[in-house]
Amino acid sequence: MLARQGLGSAPLLAQPLLQLARRLSQWATVDPQKLSASNPAACLNLVAGSWQPSRESRQLPDPLTGEPFIAVPHTQPDEIAPFVKSLKAVPKTGLHNPLKNPGRYLLYGDVSFKVAAEMRKPEVEDFFARLIQRVAPKSYAQALGEVRVTRKFYENFGGDQVRFLARGFTNPGDHPGQTSSGNRWPYGPVALITPFNFPLEIPALQLMGALYMGNKPLLHVDQRVSIVAEQLLRLLQHCGMPAADVDLLHGPGTTMGATMREAQPRSTLFTGSQRVAERLALETHGKVFLEDAGFDWKIMGPDVAHLDYVAWQCDQDAYACSGQKCSAQSMLFAHSNWVKAGLLERMAALASTRKLADLTVGPVLSWSTEAMLGHAQRLLKIPGAKILFGGKPLTGHSIPSVYGAVQPTAVFVPLAEALKPEHFEAVTTEVFGPFQVVTEWSDGQLPLVLEACERMTNHLTAAVVSNDINFVQHVLANTVNGTTYAGIRARTTGAPQNHWFGPAGDPRGAGIGTPEAIRMVWSCHREVITDFGPVPPSSALAQS
């Protein structure tokens, strides 16, 4: 299976204590096909600048074969003391701020420049792409795209760009000698929790935002993919990042939760499920930024154009990375003109070309096969619902049963039925896999489509596919999704290295990728009013 997928020579770091003075092209690697329970890749925690094992390790199953291939620290709550001590040692003023250690802004501009240069090396780029494929299987093109987006982010913040993130402003005061200035101030000790689906991009972009603004983050990544974050940290250290600037905690979420309760980080960024996000919001007393569930919609306008391209984009949005993107197309509102033109048939044809051999469809890490097919059956109980395509398990594979494996699936639900209270919750349940709901609307029914968008609870990404500017503006004016693409090339999925990416409509909503996102999530406003005189004469003073 691995050889057929082109993964047989995928490099995966086996030695946790590498001599990082060597060029990355000389890093020791092993053939993943030879990894086993007796010869696994081994990860380590990072705390206070030191790489450390935990008392227990968890053997992770290969998501394609079920065989053990990575040993990850299974850190337990009784082992968190060093992490708590490390985070508590960070002052509220951070490791740097506009008035303290400003040279560190330049340091991180230099680190970013060096990391980008390393990631331009073909062997380093390929290393990370193959590593991503091994732990979160997706096509090589999708994995490589993740690496390149991350590299471009580092390029964006090389040189003086980190310093510019801390740019403030001044206002004149009331009298001579007084000036009011606004400053971007770090939180100090912070926490960062990221999911499995983008094991390099999300940790890298949010981690660097925290570091750029002067914070010390405690990083926790889903155990199934945390080896990627570990290798990123080793690369950052190789490129000049002080080893003690970040702590990495491998282990279950319960251990990270215990650490946070003890260490009390002053802010937390969480990307992941809505259920965990809401619990974190309570446990942190609201000191959290969230990028949680994304039931993302696409509305097709009445004007039909570039049918083949639009069908291709719909397929990419719904099924690339096996639908395991928080921006994946969850619900398609297709105008009847698109349906008559054959959009759904073209989507079905494209979906049928996806196969496990090249990982254009693959394991689903958070939904089982039974759960996804069970949800399809739940939808099929709605009057008028039907399977458009898919709806069956993948065959001829050795994916472990703990993971899901289903064909790219689309379930049609009539718009009027979807809006009924007894059906709406099922229709708008996010399935984090190759699964979408499709409905059809016609002239005069746009208010119903907008009602559906209004009633949804998550507002991450969306698309309005139309060249009709009046239609586009009307839909945009009456919806709230934080990242919304508009125009005939509109999509729901897109790389956030060149634009803001995040939800809207929730004051806890996080952002990623841009200077604005970094400032909002990883710094706060501090106003400093300087007032040096001259002091007025005593005769001018009066009681009030």
Side-chain angles (χ1 to χ4, degrees):
M1 176 67 75
L2 291 178
R4 191 164 68 249
Q5 292 162 348
L7 300 180
S9 60
L12 182 65
L13 296 188
Q15 290 82 2
L17 297 176
L18 298 170
Q19 297 177 6
L20 290 177
R22 297 180 296 173
R23 292 175 58 84
L24 295 184
S25 60
Q26 297 174 316
W27 278 9
T29 61
V30 297
D31 187 333
Q33 295 185 89
K34 298 178 181 177
L35 294 174
S36 65
S38 61
N39 183 35
C43 300
L44 292 174
N45 289 323
L46 176 62
V47 58
S50 176
W51 293 100
Q52 299 287 338
S54 62
R55 186 174 61 248
E56 302 175 15
S57 290
R58 177 187 177 189
Q59 292 281 355
L60 296 177
D62 185 320
L64 292 172
T65 67
E67 296 295 325
F69 77 137
I70 299 176
V72 180
H74 201 54
T75 314
Q76 297 300 304
D78 63 354
E79 299 178 274
I80 65 175
F83 296 94
V84 173
K85 180 181 179 181
S86 178
L87 213 57
K88 282 190 170 182
V90 183
K92 295 177 181 179
T93 54
L95 301 181
H96 62 267
N97 61 51
L99 302 179
K100 182 176 78 173
N101 300 329
R104 282 174 52 89
Y105 293 115
L106 303 181
L107 166 70
Y108 272 102
D110 192 45
V111 169
S112 297
F113 182 89
K114 291 177 180 177
V115 171
E118 292 291 352
M119 293 183 78
R120 275 196 170 273
K121 295 176 181 177
E123 64 273 19
V124 178
E125 183 179 72
D126 182 73
F127 167 79
F128 278 109
R130 296 294 186 182
L131 184 55
I132 291 168
Q133 276 194 296
R134 293 296 286 115
V135 295
K138 59 183 77 172
S139 70
Y140 186 76
Q142 288 286 323
L144 188 62
E146 182 177 345
V147 177
R148 289 179 175 174
V149 164
T150 304
R151 185 250 298 164
K152 288 178 181 178
F153 172 86
Y154 280 106
E155 291 173 344
N156 288 343
F157 291 98
D160 280 325
Q161 297 308 308
V162 175
R163 186 205 330 243
F164 293 158
L165 286 171
R167 176 177 290 157
F169 60 84
T170 62
N171 286 314
D174 295 332
H175 48 257
Q178 185 185 73
T179 302
S180 176
S181 62
N183 297 269
R184 299 312 304 175
W185 217 254
Y187 292 102
V190 298
L192 169 57
I193 304 171
T194 65
F196 69 87
N197 55 332
F198 286 88
L200 177 66
E201 182 180 342
I202 297 177
L205 272 59
Q206 294 290 14
L207 174 71
M208 299 315 297
L211 291 169
Y212 290 159
M213 300 312 296
N215 305 287
K216 175 170 179 174
L218 170 61
L219 174 62
H220 179 266
V221 181
D222 188 301
Q223 268 185 303
R224 293 167 291 186
V225 300
S226 56
I227 188 173
V228 181
E230 176 175 333
Q231 298 311 316
L232 172 66
L233 291 181
R234 293 182 182 278
L235 173 59
L236 284 164
Q237 291 179 3
H238 174 73
C239 293
M241 181 191 77
D245 278 11
V246 181
D247 291 339
L248 172 65
L249 174 60
H250 295 282
T254 52
T255 302
M256 181 63 175
T259 307
M260 292 175 61
R261 284 189 291 274
E262 289 289 328
Q264 292 292 303
R266 287 171 50 78
S267 185
T268 295
L269 182 282
F270 172 79
T271 303
S273 74
Q274 185 179 21
R275 177 182 57 82
V276 177
E278 294 298 338
R279 189 172 76 237
L280 269 177
L282 292 174
E283 292 181 355
T284 63
H285 304 287
K287 293 184 289 186
V288 63
F289 287 96
L290 304 177
E291 197 267 272
D292 53 355
F295 187 87
D296 307 301
W297 50 260
K298 178 182 287 182
I299 298 174
M300 316 290 293
D303 52 316
V304 177
H306 305 287
L307 182 61
D308 288 336
Y309 176 83
V310 172
W312 173 85
Q313 187 64 67
C314 286
D315 175 77
Q316 289 290 304
D317 285 342
Y319 304 124
C321 298
S322 299
Q324 296 173 102
K325 294 185 180 183
C326 54
S327 55
Q329 178 177 302
S330 301
M331 189 166 186
L332 177 65
F333 296 89
H335 190 276
S336 56
N337 292 346
W338 286 94
V339 177
K340 293 173 184 175
L343 173 68
L344 304 184
E345 289 78 9
R346 281 173 167 78
M347 288 169 52
L350 289 166
S352 69
T353 66
R354 293 184 172 273
K355 52 188 181 297
L356 190 59
D358 58 7
L359 291 180
T360 49
V361 67
V364 174
L365 273 61
S366 60
W367 278 65
S368 68
T369 300
E370 292 73 18
M372 285 185 283
L373 297 182
H375 184 67
Q377 291 301 313
R378 182 186 181 196
L379 293 174
L380 290 175
K381 294 178 181 178
I382 298 173
K386 61 182 178 181
I387 295 286
L388 291 176
F389 51 85
K392 298 179 181 178
L394 294 176
T395 58
H397 62 80
S398 52
I399 295 171
S401 59
V402 67
Y403 298 141
V406 300
Q407 298 173 352
T409 297
V411 178
F412 179 86
V413 178
L415 180 59
E417 293 292 336
L419 285 169
K420 290 181 178 179
E422 62 267 31
H423 300 151
F424 193 74
E425 184 275 329
V427 170
T428 57
T429 294
E430 181 187 17
V431 177
F432 212 59
F435 191 104
Q436 66 174 318
V437 173
V438 177
T439 193
E440 181 179 353
W441 68 282
S442 56
D443 295 340
Q445 290 186 307
L446 183 57
L448 296 179
V449 174
L450 295 176
E451 178 189 341
C453 297
E454 176 73 14
R455 286 166 56 185
M456 293 177 193
T457 56
N458 303 107
H459 304 287
L460 182 55
T461 71
V464 187
V465 182
S466 174
N467 276 331
D468 182 340
I469 187 61
N470 293 319
F471 173 81
V472 168
Q473 288 187 334
H474 181 71
V475 174
L476 292 178
N478 290 280
T479 55
V480 300
N481 290 51
T483 303
T484 307
Y485 302 84
I488 201 64
R489 294 189 62 177
R491 57 190 181 177
T492 64
T493 59
Q497 108 278 351
N498 67 329
H499 63 74
W500 169 281
F501 184 87
D506 187 331
R508 304 167 300 178
I512 189 173
T514 63
E516 294 80 12
I518 292 171
R519 292 188 190 104
M520 182 192 80
V521 173
W522 295 114
S523 70
C524 59
H525 179 90
R526 185 186 190 190
E527 192 81 5
V528 176
I529 299 93
T530 57
D531 206 343
F532 291 107
V535 176
S538 58
S539 60
L541 302 178
Q543 291 183 337
S544 60

